Amino acid sequence: MTAVRTDKTGARTDEAAEVITGARERIDALDDRIIGLIQERVAISAVIQEARISSGGRRVNLAREMEVLAHYRSALGKPGTSLAMTMLELCRGRI
């Protein structure tokens, strides 16, 4: 028998539990990369906002945000819009 516990995965066999455990490890690694990329995006957004404000502009460029929303919606469908809104919210007003 394997050391994988089926009760933690919801699987009914050890083989399925092993597949699920491995896939979850990959998802966790992807999530860590996604979080890192979002943190990088937040930092870059702060640089843009600072430059825009110091030049007399507004903190947020709504036309650009609409482009971002359309890009995410095009790539991911309606849930992409919600994802982009959350990401944009994270990136606003950090300076």
Side-chain angles (χ1 to χ4, degrees), residues 25-67:
E25 289 171 1
R26 290 179 17 224
I27 285 174
D28 290 345
L30 287 169
D31 285 343
D32 287 342
R33 288 173 47 200
I34 291 166
I35 290 166
L37 289 170
I38 291 171
Q39 289 170 331
E40 183 178 352
R41 191 187 194 288
V42 167
I44 294 168
S45 182
V47 169
I48 292 168
Q49 289 175 50
E50 187 174 318
R52 190 180 303 118
I53 290 169
S54 68
S55 72
R58 297 177 57 166
R59 179 176 54 88
V60 176
N61 180 336
L62 296 178
R64 172 62 180 153
E65 287 197 356
M66 295 306 292
E67 290 175 8

